[in-house]
Amino acid sequence: MTNGTLLTLKGVKHILDLRLNLISPGKLDDEGYCSTFGDGRWKLSRGSMVVARGEKISSLYVARAKVCRDSANAVSGDGATDLWHNRLSHISEKGLMILARKNLLPEMKGEALEKCTHCFAGKQNRVSFTHSASSRKSGILDLVHSDICGPMKTRTLGGSLYFVTFIDDHSRKLWVYTLKSKDQVFETFKQFQALVERQSR
């Protein structure tokens, strides 16, 4: 009971020893309610009617409400294995049985675990990429890779904000030039070209 309005929650799970009643905004959204969060406040509405309000305490939004206990149903027995499987971060069926034998999981009767789509998705292997043979060029300077990076947050002592790289595909040798502006790339490339052509004669 919130704000004098009766809010009926469906599919409620009863968890032993849990001191807080937790409500999922996603479930409320499925039922047609609109949750608004902001400035440490929470408002739940349906159309123009405000159904509930709450405030942020620590990391949770807390609603001041009275719980009507005349129509509550607790889930136990059937489905308890799947419930504990989800609660315990998708533990294996063997692990559940070990905990059940030690009487650490109340209401579990040892029924088989249903197929869990999340576990199947998490254990799938990605198809490996095909390995291709190395395709390096056979001669020096047959292919040169280049890239420019910047602007940087801090200028160099020479006042540069960018740098450009040239990498020879065959030898993987790297040349780096600093630039004050991006329009210096072409002139820098011509200097690089003249340098490597002299050195490779």
Side-chain angles (χ1 to χ4, degrees), residues 135-146:
S135 59
R136 285 192 185 184
K137 294 296 181 179
S138 57
I140 293 176
L141 299 179
D142 284 349
L143 176 63
V144 175
H145 304 278
S146 180

Side-chain angles (χ1 to χ4, degrees), residues 77-97 105 108-120 123:
D78 294 340
T81 302
D82 295 326
L83 189 60
W84 279 112
H85 170 71
N86 293 332
R87 286 175 181 171
L88 298 174
S89 302
H90 296 268
I91 189 175
S92 66
E93 185 173 0
K94 181 180 178 182
L96 284 172
M97 294 303 109
L105 302 180
M108 248 196 66
K109 297 181 179 178
E111 66 265 19
L113 181 65
E114 295 292 328
K115 291 181 180 179
C116 177
T117 56
H118 301 289
C119 290
F120 278 118
K123 294 175 182 176

Side-chain angles (χ1 to χ4, degrees), residues 9-15 18-25 27-28 42 59-63 67:
L9 302 176
K10 300 178 181 179
V12 174
K13 306 296 184 183
H14 174 64
I15 303 176
L18 185 66
R19 287 184 255 175
L20 294 175
N21 295 314
L22 303 178
I23 304 175
S24 166
K27 292 296 184 182
L28 293 174
W42 168 65
S59 60
L60 295 176
Y61 285 89
V62 178
V67 179

Side-chain angles (χ1 to χ4, degrees), residues 180-198:
K180 292 184 179 180
S181 59
K182 290 177 74 173
D183 58 5
Q184 294 179 317
V185 172
F186 183 60
E187 287 299 322
T188 303
F189 170 73
K190 290 195 291 186
Q191 295 174 23
F192 162 75
Q193 182 182 19
L195 171 69
V196 294
E197 285 180 348
R198 285 197 306 271

Side-chain angles (χ1 to χ4, degrees), residues 7-9 23-35 42 44-46:
L7 172 63
T8 304
L9 302 176
I23 304 175
S24 166
K27 292 296 184 182
L28 293 174
D29 183 60
D30 294 341
E31 295 296 325
Y33 293 94
C34 177
S35 294
W42 168 65
L44 181 67
S45 58
R46 192 167 195 172

Side-chain angles (χ1 to χ4, degrees), residues 36-43 53-58 60-62:
T36 306
F37 300 90
D39 296 326
R41 303 288 179 185
W42 168 65
K43 181 175 72 174
R53 295 180 187 273
E55 60 181 358
K56 187 176 182 182
I57 299 177
S58 186
L60 295 176
Y61 285 89
V62 178

